Amino acid sequence: MQILVQKFGGTSVQNENSRAHVLKHIKHALMQKYKLVVVVSALGRKPDPYATDSLLNLVQFPANYNSKRELDLLMSCGEIIASVVLSNELQRNHIRSIALTGAQAGFITNDDFTQAKIKQVNTKRIIDEFELHDVIVVAGFQGQTETGEMTTIGRGGSDTTAASLGAALQADRIEIFTDVNGVMTADPKVVETACPLDTVTYTEICNLAYQGAKVIHPRAVEIAMQAKIPMRVRSTYAEDGGTLVTASADIPDRLITGIAHISSITQIKVDMEEDHARQSDVFKAMADAGISVDFINISPTGVIYTVADSDTEKAVDILKTLGFNPSLTPNCAKVSAVGAGMTGVPGVASKIVQALTGAGVQILQSADSHTTIWVLVHDKDLKVAVNALHDAFQLSKINGSKNNDRKVLKS
């Protein structure tokens, strides 16, 4: 039995017109003799009535709520509604279909409500349902504890649901459908010449996602990579194959694959006058307060790191209670150049610095790994910085003439 897992986001299933495109993709896969598991997110986005944020607004979250357990009961409703709506339309089109909650699909999680971790995926119910149905529509983003409590698995959870099912079922591949035409070389809202990529490695797309690209959740990619299941990131509204996510041996030779960014962050500097023992105090205090830190530089005279703008006031208050007087640079952005091809190649950092300084962008901080180079810049310079790097590495030409071959589906 050939199994294909497809995931459709909220905008793909939000109305009858968008669901018509979803049905075309499902019918095409059925014509290829696949059995399908289709994972869905909640219908639309706020203010659509069944979107997750709209449901949370019913209890005035985050200002007024009492129980994470009951939040999970509420948030799980959006995906369940979406699964029933899509399954109903499939049945109306004479396709044998059934809707399942995450729990019914076999997802067992821990009891960390709103951020539950998947412990096990029991595929018996899905395998049994394939005896009677060709398409199983699964509510994403959710599961249940061993004692039967409903849980949700955090933002991006529908991607993780799809990847986990693909791994557990040893599917031929996992297809993630979105409202953009695959993985792009940069955010097209920032770079007009950004183009879709034909192929990326698992590592590259993970790094792009962690550094701000929102096309897929990085945890989903990690699950697919561990199981060696190919992924495709595709547009709901196009008929081409989108972007193939695969092993490094299968991609073309290129230095940089894409530019990602994260805005609205603050740089914090803490001077310590060579009091090395207190360096750990800073990061322990941040961790105890649940503040995520990034872009860490440690030297004999102090530490430098970044936090989200929304956490800045809290972080400063904590540092002052420890006796520090931190200096701040608010309204910053982190820009990342990602590419598996840069490993061991000299001159990449030099090219990045030349491109940014040539564009008049001040670099506040930098760091690098084997496949990513990060720079911190002022938020006001974000668009200039991303475009300068995109141009410097000629990313608008990364696929040559293939970018013009993409076809748009018609309703």
Side-chain angles (χ1 to χ4, degrees), residues 278-291 293 318 322:
R278 302 209 65 194
Q279 293 172 346
S280 63
D281 294 344
V282 171
F283 297 112
K284 183 178 186 303
M286 296 296 107
D288 290 344
I291 297 175
V293 302
I318 291 169
L322 293 174

Side-chain angles (χ1 to χ4, degrees), residues 6-10 12-13 22 26 37-43 78-87 100 136-142 157-159 161-162:
Q6 296 181 330
K7 178 262 177 176
F8 293 95
S12 296
V13 293
V22 172
I26 291 173
V37 176
V38 176
V39 176
V40 291
S41 299
L43 299 174
E79 278 73 17
I80 294 173
I81 292 169
S83 68
V84 172
V85 169
L86 180 58
S87 182
L100 299 179
I136 299 171
V137 185
V138 177
F141 176 61
Q142 62 184 252
S158 292
D159 288 350
T161 298

Side-chain angles (χ1 to χ4, degrees), residues 284-350:
K284 183 178 186 303
M286 296 296 107
D288 290 344
I291 297 175
S292 177
V293 302
D294 193 16
F295 230 136
I296 300 168
N297 290 136
I298 300 174
S299 70
T301 58
V303 298
I304 304 174
Y305 61 98
T306 61
V307 299
D309 281 349
S310 57
D311 287 330
T312 301
E313 184 177 352
K314 184 178 180 182
V316 170
D317 288 342
I318 291 169
L319 291 170
K320 287 183 176 179
T321 63
L322 293 174
F324 296 116
N325 185 26
S327 59
L328 308 178
T329 305
N331 303 318
C332 294
K334 182 182 181 182
V335 179
S336 307
V338 177
M342 74 168 69
T343 304
V345 177
V348 180
S350 173

Side-chain angles (χ1 to χ4, degrees), residues 10 21 24 105 108 122 216-217 249 299 318 338 343 364:
H21 294 289
K24 287 183 180 181
I108 304 299
N122 184 342
I216 187 172
H217 196 276
S299 70
I318 291 169
V338 177
T343 304
L364 303 172

Side-chain angles (χ1 to χ4, degrees), residues 238-394:
E239 61 184 10
D240 69 280
T243 302
L244 174 66
V245 185
T246 184
S248 58
D250 301 320
I251 68 163
D253 183 21
R254 62 190 177 218
L255 199 61
I256 298 296
T257 295
I259 311 297
H261 68 274
I262 300 172
S263 58
S264 303
I265 58 181
T266 296
Q267 183 193 60
I268 299 177
K269 294 182 180 180
V270 184
D271 293 326
M272 295 184 178
E273 299 179 354
E274 302 192 19
D275 187 0
H276 304 165
R278 302 209 65 194
Q279 293 172 346
S280 63
D281 294 344
V282 171
F283 297 112
K284 183 178 186 303
M286 296 296 107
D288 290 344
I291 297 175
S292 177
V293 302
D294 193 16
F295 230 136
I296 300 168
N297 290 136
I298 300 174
S299 70
T301 58
V303 298
I304 304 174
Y305 61 98
T306 61
V307 299
D309 281 349
S310 57
D311 287 330
T312 301
E313 184 177 352
K314 184 178 180 182
V316 170
D317 288 342
I318 291 169
L319 291 170
K320 287 183 176 179
T321 63
L322 293 174
F324 296 116
N325 185 26
S327 59
L328 308 178
T329 305
N331 303 318
C332 294
K334 182 182 181 182
V335 179
S336 307
V338 177
M342 74 168 69
T343 304
V345 177
V348 180
S350 173
K351 191 169 185 176
I352 288 173
V353 173
Q354 288 179 352
L356 294 178
T357 55
V361 176
Q362 181 185 13
I363 300 172
L364 303 172
Q365 197 176 344
S366 67
D368 68 276
S369 71
H370 292 298
T371 59
T372 306
I373 295 176
W374 305 271
V375 293
L376 189 69
V377 302
H378 292 290
D379 227 342
K380 63 182 179 62
D381 294 330
L382 172 61
K383 186 170 184 178
V384 172
V386 174
N387 277 272
L389 295 181
H390 197 271
D391 290 344
F393 292 99
Q394 298 184 311

Side-chain angles (χ1 to χ4, degrees), residues 11 40 146 151 163 170 200 222 225 233 264 276 305 330 364 391:
T11 56
V40 291
E146 292 176 350
T151 56
Q170 282 298 291
V200 296
E222 290 170 351
M225 178 169 60
V233 180
S264 303
H276 304 165
Y305 61 98
L364 303 172
D391 290 344

Side-chain angles (χ1 to χ4, degrees), residues 70-127:
E70 291 177 9
L71 276 182
D72 274 358
L73 285 173
L74 178 64
M75 288 193 293
S76 63
C77 293
E79 278 73 17
I80 294 173
I81 292 169
S83 68
V84 172
V85 169
L86 180 58
S87 182
N88 183 63
E89 292 199 21
L90 290 169
Q91 292 166 27
R92 284 171 47 201
N93 281 269
H94 311 291
I95 295 171
R96 299 187 305 168
S97 170
I98 186 172
L100 299 179
T101 67
Q104 291 169 336
F107 280 84
I108 304 299
T109 75
N110 65 11
D111 60 359
D112 185 9
F113 295 107
T114 74
Q115 295 288 336
K117 301 296 186 293
I118 299 169
K119 297 172 64 176
Q120 178 186 352
V121 182
N122 184 342
T123 60
K124 184 179 185 306
R125 172 76 182 269
I126 288 178
I127 298 299

